[in-house]
Amino acid sequence: MPVQEIIQRCEELFEDLSFSSVRAWKEAEPGRKVVGYMPIYVPLEIIHAAGMLPLGILGGGDALEVIHGDAYYQSYICRIPRSTVELGVTKRLDFVDGMLFPSICDVIRNLSGIWKLMFPDVYTRYFDTPQNFRSDIGGEFYVNDLRELVSGLENLGGRKISDDDLRASIEVYNESRRWVRKVYQFRSEQPWKVPASEVYLLMRAGQTLPVEDHTQMMKDYLAAVENEDRRMKDNCRVIVNGSFCEQPPLGLIKSIELAGCYIVDDDYMMINRLITEDVESEGDHLLNLSEAFIKHSMAFPSKFEPNGEVQGHYLADIVKQRGAEGVIFAAPSFCDPALLDQPMLANVLDERKIPYIAFQFAENSGQMQPIREQAGTFADSIKLWSAA
Amino acid sequence: MNTETKPDVVKDASMLKQKEMIAGNFDKLTDAKELGLKISSTFVPGNLNELLMCFGIVNNLPEINALNNAMRKQSGPMIQDAEKMGHSEDVCTYVKADIGMMSRGNIAPNGKPMPDPDVLLLSYTGCYTFLKWFELLREQYKCPTVMLHVPYQGDGKAEITQNMRDYVIKQLKEEVIPTLEQVSGVKFDIDRLRENLKNSAKAEDDLVWVLESAKNKPSPIDAYFGGVYYIGPIFTAFRGTEDAVEYYRLLKGEIAERIKQGLGPVTPEGEVFEEKYRLVVEGPPNWTNFREFWKMFYEDGAVVVASTYSKVGGVYDYDGFRHDPDHPLESLADYCLGCYTNRNLPERTQMLVDYMEDYQADGLLVNSIKSCNSFSAGQLLMLREVEARTGKPGAFIETDLVDPRYFSPANIKNRLESYFQMIEQKRQSGAVAA
Ligand code: SF4
Ligand code: SF4
């Protein structure tokens, strides 16, 4: 399948705010259920093992007109909760049987309560991940937490989730994550072949498609881009940081590229790759999922860093690992986790003499010209630096 | 007229006692090195004062420093300093006020510099910002930092699960206590903790009595502005002390006397009060213009009969929680888990509805704080729900805790006055209908 076709499919999924592909999946067989989740992370394996389709809800983007949502949120709160409420109020999510709100910030946390009040018939769960990373403390809490999720989904689906179901789902997601890593690795090696906007759309498609279809799509994409004749440009290599929850408009990602930057890593759609190694598929599955989170999950701003010595190092480490030349901090306005993390990350970048710029966005930001100019100047200065 | 510089008209014994306690604690903090004491920084919600006392560690609460600076009109420049240092305009101003205070030498209200903490006890209760705040402080102080992750009560059934409780207890036993032992060099003595908890429970009984006195008509207290003073000792460095027991005993006696005499609340301008409107308030107060803000209420005869802010450092009235010397660690866990902002929105909403009814309030006022997603995200829906369930009118105003740029007196005053008129009209139409 040609790249064009794959990306077009991804674009259709991305633009479809009624989620018709997910509706079609649900209608294809009686009794099917859909469970929505918000960023950053929930264990999709368990939803999958329950025979349900996980659906990533990432706000309304720049195409959704928010009419009702503003009546729920003050002007100084980021935009994703209001557009998510808008999706709910306008019945665009009326087919969603369950919603999971991960422990990422107070806004998403409180949105779980809003959802309970507004949609009492939906199975709504605030999903906690541990901030203590000892297996016998945080791990044990998390295993029990996962057990509660399992039994909640069993009730919702009216059937037991067996060990075999869990094992199969863990394997399916292990494969998915391997391909996600391959895409990121490939982009880092040959960014001219895989533009960030395409990687973005490809990863975003994973929020709506069944995981098996998405894995196939990634395979097809990587096979297809190999054959594309895309020339290397004199762009600089940057990492984008801060966009792990509310998503920038696609135009923003394109603007960064058009300004002369190859995005060689990012924190969009962390859920696809937050777990960095295969989850063990033999033994106690919930324990394995817990251990994977505790021992092999990426750093992100809402996760406590117990070791002060390495506080804020993770971004500079990614810069090194990807051979990047600079960082673009692009955080949503009013995003406490991203904006409070930024100074600590910037301190380490300063220490290691890694250049960076920062701007804020909202999912419906319209004006890309200033961002393009800022990113362009940044790219030029990096080129000058490296030439010097 | 500048009410900020006006001396307090009424000085009850409890007030003098509290003043003395606070001054004593600041002296202890600033002289800690000479006195050979260790200092812990920790947050108000989920603070473990009784436990810290077991190790002779003095408790420094950065939110209290920030609000003190705000009341003394010093927080604005501190926040701007932090913004110049690269902190975003969009984030919680408590954090920035604290960072700005540090850059200006960390001067305590007694004029002496506050020594660096020996340990950061990150009681992660009810607010995500706490996590980032202490990561930022750890960068500066480079001292041991111990995280106590208190899971959020997300499931909407007003229920603390055994899993949550066990998790907190385990962290206390295996992370918090060993770290505090190491920092202080003092061995943990559970009997000492029990003694402290006994004191806590006594003070808590009296505090609840005081808060519930607002069910009287007229209410002898203001449970928001006045409430800030009443919760002061129990929310900060004094829960578990004999001093706090004594303070609440005195306070209870004074309030009992006011009830007997049919008096309203004490205000900064004395007994000028006539109760016209009884309000429940959701959200923290503004500190930069605290007295000016309060005056907008008592001038018009509005008294706050119940508030949720006075539950942020522990909910003692609503479901009867007390620290329990017979179950020391369990009760510390339940205390942390039960703090107001650790409860989910449906529970918070129901709590407001119940307060409206139990305290026979005329309406609900939300003071929405720009800084504080923990409180603010969801308040508009809460307001509508409470209005719908109680049939009483609500109002919404917006301020900030410690950033003076977000306090607009004329707007707030207008909004409050029209709200009071609305209550009046509703009353009259109710009377006509009856
Ligand atoms: S954008 Fe930031 S503040 Fe807003 S919901 Fe997401 S993580 Fe929370
Ligand atoms: S967000 Fe709210 S609760 Fe959290 S530190 Fe700031 S003011 Fe306090």
Side-chain angles (χ1 to χ4, degrees):
Chain A
M1 201 187 287
V3 171
Q4 207 60 41
E5 221 172 280
I6 299 171
I7 294 304
Q8 200 185 329
R9 170 85 184 112
C10 294
E11 249 173 329
E12 284 162 14
L13 291 169
F14 172 69
E15 283 163 7
D16 179 8
L17 290 171
S18 302
F19 306 99
S20 17
S21 74
V22 185
R23 287 173 190 270
W25 177 90
K26 184 170 166 165
E27 280 157 19
E29 269 181 39
R32 279 187 165 177
K33 302 263 193 255
V34 174
V35 174
Y37 59 86
M38 297 216 52
I40 297 179
Y41 172 76
V42 297
L44 300 176
E45 291 87 340
I46 295 179
I47 304 172
H48 184 267
M52 300 174 187
L53 183 66
L55 167 65
I57 310 279
L58 291 142
D62 55 355
L64 181 74
E65 196 188 349
V66 171
I67 297 163
H68 309 89
D70 287 340
Y72 292 82
Y73 286 100
Q74 302 88 312
S75 57
Y76 45 78
I77 292 175
C78 59
R79 203 178 141 91
I80 182 168
R82 72 191 73 220
S83 61
T84 303
V85 164
E86 185 77 24
L87 291 173
V89 174
T90 53
K91 302 202 181 311
R92 287 174 165 100
L93 298 175
D94 58 1
F95 61 97
V96 174
D97 307 282
M99 276 291 276
L100 301 180
F101 295 87
S103 47
I104 152 174
C105 75
D106 295 326
V107 175
I108 298 281
R109 184 195 78 174
N110 290 5
L111 185 56
S112 70
I114 290 199
W115 220 261
K116 278 174 198 281
L117 288 169
M118 290 180 71
F119 307 103
D121 298 334
V122 174
Y123 166 72
T124 297
R125 185 172 171 82
Y126 168 76
F127 180 74
D128 221 346
T129 41
Q131 297 286 2
N132 174 292
F133 305 103
R134 269 174 60 175
S135 302
D136 59 337
I137 303 179
E140 194 178 295
F141 164 74
Y142 192 42
V143 168
N144 289 325
D145 199 26
L146 291 174
R147 201 163 284 135
E148 284 173 26
L149 176 63
V150 166
S151 85
L153 292 180
E154 284 178 341
N155 281 342
L156 180 65
R159 74 161 175 86
K160 284 269 160 218
I161 300 174
S162 71
D163 268 3
D164 286 344
D165 294 331
L166 279 168
R167 178 183 309 106
S169 300
I170 286 175
E171 280 166 2
V172 166
Y173 275 94
N174 278 342
E175 195 194 7
S176 158
R177 281 185 289 259
R178 284 199 285 271
W179 281 94
V180 170
R181 290 198 288 270
K182 279 185 197 170
V183 172
Y184 270 77
Q185 186 57 29
F186 186 95
R187 177 175 67 171
S188 173
E189 285 160 8
Q190 301 180 59
W192 56 93
K193 286 225 160 161
V194 279
S197 50
E198 287 188 4
V199 174
Y200 181 82
L201 288 166
L202 184 66
M203 292 302 146
R204 187 79 193 244
Q207 312 307 300
T208 32
L209 288 176
V211 58
E212 298 83 354
D213 297 356
H214 183 238
T215 301
Q216 188 56 48
M217 187 183 239
M218 290 188 283
K219 291 179 186 171
D220 293 345
Y221 177 79
L222 279 184
V225 283
E226 286 281 8
N227 303 322
E228 287 284 301
D229 179 24
R230 287 172 167 173
R231 300 248 170 85
M232 190 171 156
K233 290 189 201 142
D234 182 25
N235 281 5
C236 66
R237 297 167 64 87
V238 300
I239 311 280
V240 173
N241 177 274
S243 318
F244 47 84
C245 180
E246 181 173 323
Q247 298 294 292
L250 192 58
L252 190 151
I253 301 171
K254 288 183 176 162
S255 295
I256 295 175
E257 288 190 302
L258 285 172
C261 300
Y262 285 135
I263 300 175
V264 292
D265 211 332
D266 59 61
D267 56 5
Y268 309 126
M269 251 69 66
M270 294 272 284
I271 187 146
N272 290 342
R273 58 200 202 106
L274 189 108
I275 304 294
T276 53
E277 291 185 16
D278 280 1
V279 179
E280 175 60 53
S281 57
E282 294 306 325
D284 180 335
H285 303 304
L286 299 187
L287 183 66
N288 293 340
L289 285 169
S290 165
E291 287 290 285
F293 179 82
I294 282 191
K295 300 206 171 113
H296 307 295
S297 60
M298 292 167 114
F300 59 94
S302 321
K303 187 173 137 190
F304 180 58
E305 173 52 71
N307 179 2
E309 300 283 305
V310 300
Q311 177 68 54
H313 285 221
Y314 71 88
L315 180 60
D317 292 344
I318 298 173
V319 170
K320 190 169 173 208
Q321 182 202 334
R322 295 290 190 202
E325 297 158 286
V327 168
I328 294 182
F329 286 111
S333 297
F334 306 108
C335 177
D336 268 26
L339 294 169
L340 286 164
D341 208 31
Q342 202 170 292
M344 291 184 278
L345 299 172
N347 283 347
V348 183
L349 296 181
D350 283 335
E351 273 165 28
R352 300 201 199 166
K353 302 202 174 5
I354 299 165
Y356 57 87
I357 51 166
F359 53 76
Q360 282 170 227
F361 68 83
E363 60 180 7
N364 63 337
S365 295
Q367 279 295 327
M368 291 306 148
Q369 191 56 25
I371 287 173
R372 196 180 304 177
E373 279 166 16
Q374 207 184 340
T377 313
F378 184 55
D380 291 345
S381 73
I382 285 178
K383 278 180 226 157
L384 268 174
W385 262 36
S386 52
Chain B
M1 185 180 59
N2 184 359
T3 53
E4 302 294 328
T5 52
K6 255 187 110 174
D8 287 339
V9 174
V10 185
K11 285 235 188 300
D12 288 331
S14 68
M15 282 186 190
L16 295 169
K17 172 86 188 158
Q18 182 171 161
K19 238 181 162 159
E20 199 185 285
M21 286 157 71
I22 292 173
N25 195 58
F26 277 123
D27 287 343
K28 244 191 310 202
L29 282 167
T30 52
D31 299 342
K33 295 282 177 267
E34 293 86 77
L35 297 169
L37 296 169
K38 300 287 181 196
I39 298 178
S40 153
S41 277
T42 197
F43 295 109
V44 169
N47 81 72
L48 300 172
N49 200 52
E50 300 91 340
L51 188 66
L52 289 169
M53 283 163 58
C54 293
F55 302 95
I57 297 177
V58 204
N59 187 348
N60 182 22
L61 299 128
E63 297 116 304
I64 304 296
N65 297 335
L67 79 83
N68 258 310
N69 286 325
M71 284 178 132
R72 290 182 297 136
K73 306 274 182 215
Q74 292 176 355
S75 57
M78 290 174 176
I79 292 167
Q80 282 168 23
D81 279 358
E83 287 172 0
K84 276 184 215 134
M85 287 155 68
H87 291 271
S88 166
E89 266 187 42
D90 285 358
V91 300
C92 171
T93 48
Y94 260 179
V95 183
K96 288 183 286 186
D98 193 29
I99 287 170
M101 178 181 171
M102 216 184 321
S103 75
R104 293 179 171 221
N106 253 345
I107 305 299
N110 62 5
K112 297 184 192 170
M114 190 85 83
D116 289 357
D118 300 288
V119 61
L120 298 170
L121 172 52
L122 172 45
S123 59
Y124 182 62
T125 302
C127 166
Y128 279 85
T129 299
F130 290 157
L131 188 159
K132 302 310 311 172
W133 188 344
F134 269 14
E135 282 181 346
L136 284 159
L137 290 197
R138 179 176 61 184
E139 233 187 13
Q140 299 297 317
Y141 295 127
K142 310 219 179 309
C143 64
T145 303
V146 60
M147 151 68 92
L148 176 68
H149 176 202
V150 177
Y152 180 63
Q153 287 196 40
D155 77 347
K157 286 181 227 125
E159 186 183 281
I160 295 171
T161 66
Q162 195 56 38
N163 186 35
M164 293 176 179
R165 184 178 291 121
D166 289 346
Y167 178 40
V168 178
I169 293 172
K170 239 181 167 175
Q171 292 175 82
L172 289 172
K173 279 189 185 155
E174 300 194 28
E175 304 271 9
V176 177
I177 292 173
T179 308
L180 297 180
E181 282 183 326
Q182 211 177 5
V183 167
S184 65
V186 175
K187 188 110 197 65
F188 175 56
D189 173 2
I190 198 154
D191 291 326
R192 200 166 159 193
L193 178 61
R194 287 183 211 276
E195 284 307 310
N196 298 341
L197 294 174
K198 241 185 243 166
N199 282 339
S200 300
K202 267 191 233 160
E204 286 155 7
D205 278 343
D206 285 347
L207 169 73
V208 169
W209 187 95
V210 168
L211 292 175
E212 291 186 339
S213 73
K215 288 179 185 169
N216 286 285
K217 283 188 178 176
S219 168
I221 63 162
D222 183 285
Y224 186 53
F225 298 103
V228 162
Y229 296 104
Y230 305 147
I231 58 174
I234 218 149
F235 277 20
T236 58
F238 308 104
R239 206 183 55 234
T241 64
E242 299 281 352
D243 274 341
V245 174
E246 173 65 4
Y247 167 79
Y248 286 101
R249 197 187 57 77
L250 288 172
L251 181 65
K252 184 178 169 184
E254 289 158 9
I255 305 292
E257 192 49 39
R258 300 190 74 78
I259 297 174
K260 223 193 269 168
Q261 294 183 33
L263 293 173
V266 180
T267 76
E269 293 181 84
E271 315 279 344
V272 290
F273 207 85
E274 182 203 349
E275 179 179 298
K276 283 202 217 141
Y277 312 107
R278 296 168 65 86
L279 304 178
V280 171
V281 175
E282 148 73 18
N286 157 276
W287 302 116
T288 56
N289 300 64
F290 186 77
R291 288 209 174 167
E292 188 182 358
F293 192 26
W294 189 354
K295 192 171 185 197
M296 292 178 193
F297 289 71
Y298 64 73
E299 259 184 354
D300 281 330
V303 58
V304 181
V305 289
S307 70
T308 52
Y309 180 67
S310 58
K311 314 297 147 60
V312 76
V315 176
Y316 300 106
D317 60 341
Y318 190 65
D319 30 30
F321 168 80
R322 292 289 178 277
H323 282 92
D324 177 2
D326 294 331
H327 303 94
L329 296 182
E330 290 81 347
S331 86
L332 286 180
D334 283 4
Y335 156 71
C336 292
L337 286 156
C339 287
Y340 179 67
T341 48
N342 205 49
R343 297 174 184 230
N344 61 41
L345 247 58
E347 259 191 86
R348 280 172 57 186
T349 307
Q350 190 54 45
M351 205 162 159
L352 287 166
V353 169
D354 292 343
Y355 281 155
M356 293 277 288
E357 281 159 11
D358 294 349
Y359 288 80
Q360 297 182 52
D362 299 302
L364 170 70
L365 176 77
V366 178
N367 181 31
S368 181
I369 293 294
K370 177 185 177 284
S371 271
C372 185
N373 285 342
S374 176
F375 259 102
S376 304
Q379 279 174 332
L380 283 161
L381 179 66
M382 286 167 74
L383 177 74
R384 286 201 293 275
E385 280 283 323
V386 174
E387 282 180 326
R389 289 189 213 171
T390 62
K392 302 268 172 67
F396 203 85
I397 52 174
E398 296 180 345
T399 68
D400 190 57
L401 291 158
V402 291
D403 192 336
R405 291 172 295 189
Y406 297 101
F407 189 86
S408 156
N411 283 347
I412 295 167
K413 189 145 179 59
N414 274 343
R415 182 78 200 90
L416 286 176
E417 277 173 359
S418 48
Y419 180 48
F420 298 148
Q421 276 171 17
M422 187 160 79
I423 293 178
E424 200 63 64
Q425 278 163 8
K426 203 140 187 171
R427 240 186 228 159
Q428 277 164 15
S429 63
V432 169

